[in-house]
């Protein structure tokens, strides 16, 4: 595995820093001067600037002022820092919305947002696109060769708003014309419109789905609308990328959002030079392996966006997070360090924060920041960040290394849209993600690395594939999965596999469709969905596997076996005793089918067994007591082991198979060591 540095080769360091908003302090030169001193003091080396600065950069249409940004770029560079410079399109200036009201988002054709907040523009508005292109090109031209610049940050968390303004309505129709070759017969078939007498006679009759006075009861149409909205983001990212690339050859990214499903992040990733992501671990659920695994899984998703390459963790919170949930929990210093190292352990080349300094006003003034309103360095959060900075200074070797995983979880946006949009059976809108994260967590507890990849990835480099409900299936994908197993791969599929095609039309002839019955050696005869608010209806099932009975509280289907053997069976109802979990040999490989929606306890037991059967072991070179979790980043022949004690109360021992250097202390560690509660170590082999 070769190292790949997401950022320019001339700054080969892990990045520490984050969103810096000097435009809020332009009348306080003493604060701006202090920022530079504090940046050095905290061992921070990066500032993300310009993210919401449009009205400070272009206060009137066509009138630009860059002097303050020039000065900040120069100062940061002089003080040893680097800049990831944003395009400001996430928040438009007031003059723009006033003069061209059509740039604002319209949830309904007759109702537009007033100028307010952010991320509520119409990304298809020609005026908006033109104004964004102009400011982006101005920035790119001006800063392309600035020595502080290391990358471009396009906009901020593209939100994928489903705008229904006149422009979007018309463009949706055009988009449908292209998708269905201008052939209404094709569209009517895909949307199954004779159902409830809803046949379309002209593309001009089509309105976007709207839950109020409009249509939302045609799943195929809903799916196309999601695709259209996702393509809207894609096209806009492309517009911004092209504007910047016209003048600058610095790498381009945009900050994505874990499993946020409003747009296909994987498609957008094809436009980027490196992937970056915002994650705000809340920790309020308590610290368990499952919770830690969830955040590691987000990182696995980011790596999987770019074929395993490291990514940039663009935002997280230093201290308290005031924005993303209602429970504002303080993080201990140790937890702050744990969180930062967790990002690095799973493939990030940075720990970047929102925000560098707390503003005096605005709705984020109490959101965690490296620099508090207090303004000094002797407060806990500043010191925690400084400690993290000190640790990261010794870890330059980690830059560009990645994780070599034997297992991949295949998570697809369109499949998720389809199964989550399923109107009748799937009442649990979280099942797809729960199976993704739950499978990851089961492996994580065995110290087995997994990537989260898309259907387009090369399956052959993995020994094991996990398919969260692969509800939507095409012949080409089914062939790819079958070939993989035929050649010796192992696959675990969750329920509702291969039920529909790309238009959400069911496959005829028995599910799983597209020839997957042959692979799994079964046919799904019937399925049932239990009430997700269990307790109210009390109707649920249970599955016995390996002598233990596990709950099946959400979804269960009854397979008819056509060659597969049962590994577990239902315990209740008229179908008690029938298979709930199966295994079938196919070619040189094995195909497992989980016919119900399990909970974590089942996933932990089941994956322990299937990994063992596949001969996949957790990391051995560094291992330890029950709460020790290890990941390994490697590249150019170097190996770095990140070791975590996930217990909040117990010290855990760690065994090393060969002497290694502890990068955080510089000490040589030979055979055995220990980690205190929430302790972290990074060993170089
Ligand atoms: C998001 C945004 C930031 C900021 C943070 C607060 O992730 O990108 O601008 O609002 O939330 O947590």
């Amino acid at each position: 595995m070769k190292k790949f540095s997401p950022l320019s080769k001339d700054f080969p360091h892990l990045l520490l820093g984050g969103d810096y908003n000097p435009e809020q302090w332009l009348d306080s030169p003493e604060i701006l001067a202090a920022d530079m001193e504090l940046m050095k003091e905290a061992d921070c080396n990066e500032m993300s600037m310009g993210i919401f600065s449009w009205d400070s950069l272009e206060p009137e249409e066509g009138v630009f002022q860059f002097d303050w940004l020039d000065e900040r770029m120069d100062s940061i560079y002089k003080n040893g820092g680097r800049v990831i410079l944003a395009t400001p399109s996430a928040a438009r200036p007031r003059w723009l919305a006033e003069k061209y009201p059509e740039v604002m988002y319209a949830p309904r054709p007759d109702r537009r947002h007033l100028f307010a907040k952010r991320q509520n523009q119409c990304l298809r508005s020609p005026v908006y696109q033109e104004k964004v292109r102009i400011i982006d090109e101005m920035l790119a031209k001006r800063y392309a060769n600035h020595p502080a610049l290391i990358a471009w940050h396009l906009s901020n968390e593209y939100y994928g708003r489903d705008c229904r303004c006149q422009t979007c309505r018309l463009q949706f129709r055009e988009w449908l014309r292209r998708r269905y070759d201008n052939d209404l017969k094709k569209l009517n078939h895909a949307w199954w419109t004779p159902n409830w007498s809803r046949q379309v006679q002209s593309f001009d009759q089509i309105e976007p789905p709207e839950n109020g006075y409009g249509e939302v009861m045609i799943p195929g149409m809903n799916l196309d609308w999601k695709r259209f909205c996702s393509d809207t983001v894609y096209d806009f990212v492309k517009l911004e990328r092209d504007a910047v690339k016209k003048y600058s050859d610095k790498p381009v990214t945009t900050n994505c959002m874990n499993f946020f499903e409003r747009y296909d992040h994987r498609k957008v990733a094809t436009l980027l030079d490196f992937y970056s992501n915002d994650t705000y671990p809340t920790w309020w659920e308590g610290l368990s392996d499952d919770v830690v695994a969830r955040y590691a899984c987000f990182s696995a998703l980011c790596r999987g966006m770019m074929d395993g390459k490291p990514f940039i963790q663009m935002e997280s919170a230093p201290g308290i997070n005031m924005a993303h949930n209602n429970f504002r929990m303080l993080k201990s210093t140790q937890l702050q360090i744990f969180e930062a190292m967790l990002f690095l352990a799973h493939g990030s080349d940075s720990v970047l924060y929102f925000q560098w300094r707390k503003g005096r006003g605005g709705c984020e003034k109490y959101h965690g920041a490296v620099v508090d309103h207090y303004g000094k360095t002797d407060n806990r959060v500043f010191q925690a960040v400084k400690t993290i900075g000190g640790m990261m200074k010794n870890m330059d070797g980690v830059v560009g290394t990645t994780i070599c995983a034997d297992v991949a979880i295949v998570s697809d946006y369109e499949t998720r849209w389809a199964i989550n949009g399923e109107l009748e059976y799937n009442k649990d809108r979280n099942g797809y993600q729960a199976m993704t994260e739950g499978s990851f967590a089961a492996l994580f507890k065995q110290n087995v690395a997994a990537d989260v990849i898309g259907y387009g990835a090369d399956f052959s480099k993995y020994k094991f594939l996990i398919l969260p409900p692969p509800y939507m299936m095409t012949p080409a994908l089914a062939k790819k999965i079958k070939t993989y197993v035929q050649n010796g791969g192992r696959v675990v599929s969750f329920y509702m596999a291969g039920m529909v095609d790309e238009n959400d039309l069911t496959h005829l002839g028995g599910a799983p469709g597209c020839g997957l019955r042959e692979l799994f050696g079964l046919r799904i005869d019937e399925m049932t969905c239990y009430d997700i608010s269990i307790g109210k209806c009390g109707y649920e099932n249970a599955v016995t596997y390996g002598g233990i009975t596990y709950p099946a509280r959400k979804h269960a289907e009854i397979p008819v076996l056509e060659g597969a053997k049962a590994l577990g069976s239902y315990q209740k109802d008229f179908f008690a005793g029938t298979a709930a979990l199966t295994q079938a040999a196919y070619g040189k490989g094995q195909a497992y089918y989980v016919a119900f929606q399990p909970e974590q306890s089942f996933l932990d037991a089941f994956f322990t067994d299937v990994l063992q059967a596949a001969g996949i072991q957790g990391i051995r070179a560094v291992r330890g007591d029950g709460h020790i979790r290890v990941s390994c980043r490697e590249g150019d022949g170097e190996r770095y082991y990140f070791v975590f004690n996930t217990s909040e109360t117990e010290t855990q021992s760690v065994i090393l198979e060969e002497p290694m250097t502890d990068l955080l202390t510089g000490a040589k560690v030979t055979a055995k060591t220990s980690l205190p509660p929430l302790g972290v170590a990074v060993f170089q082999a």
Side-chain angles (χ1 to χ4, degrees), residues 52 118 156-157 255 278 280 315 321 323-324 354 364 367:
F52 298 108
R118 63 179 180 179
N156 189 69
E157 294 187 341
N255 47 342
D278 297 349
Y280 287 84
E315 289 181 26
N321 175 347
H324 294 274
F354 179 87
E364 295 182 319
H367 190 291

Side-chain angles (χ1 to χ4, degrees), residues 239-250:
L239 177 147
E240 293 214 71
R241 183 203 65 170
D242 292 349
V244 163
K245 291 259 172 186
K246 191 166 166 191
Y247 297 100
S248 171
D249 57 6
K250 286 283 151 64

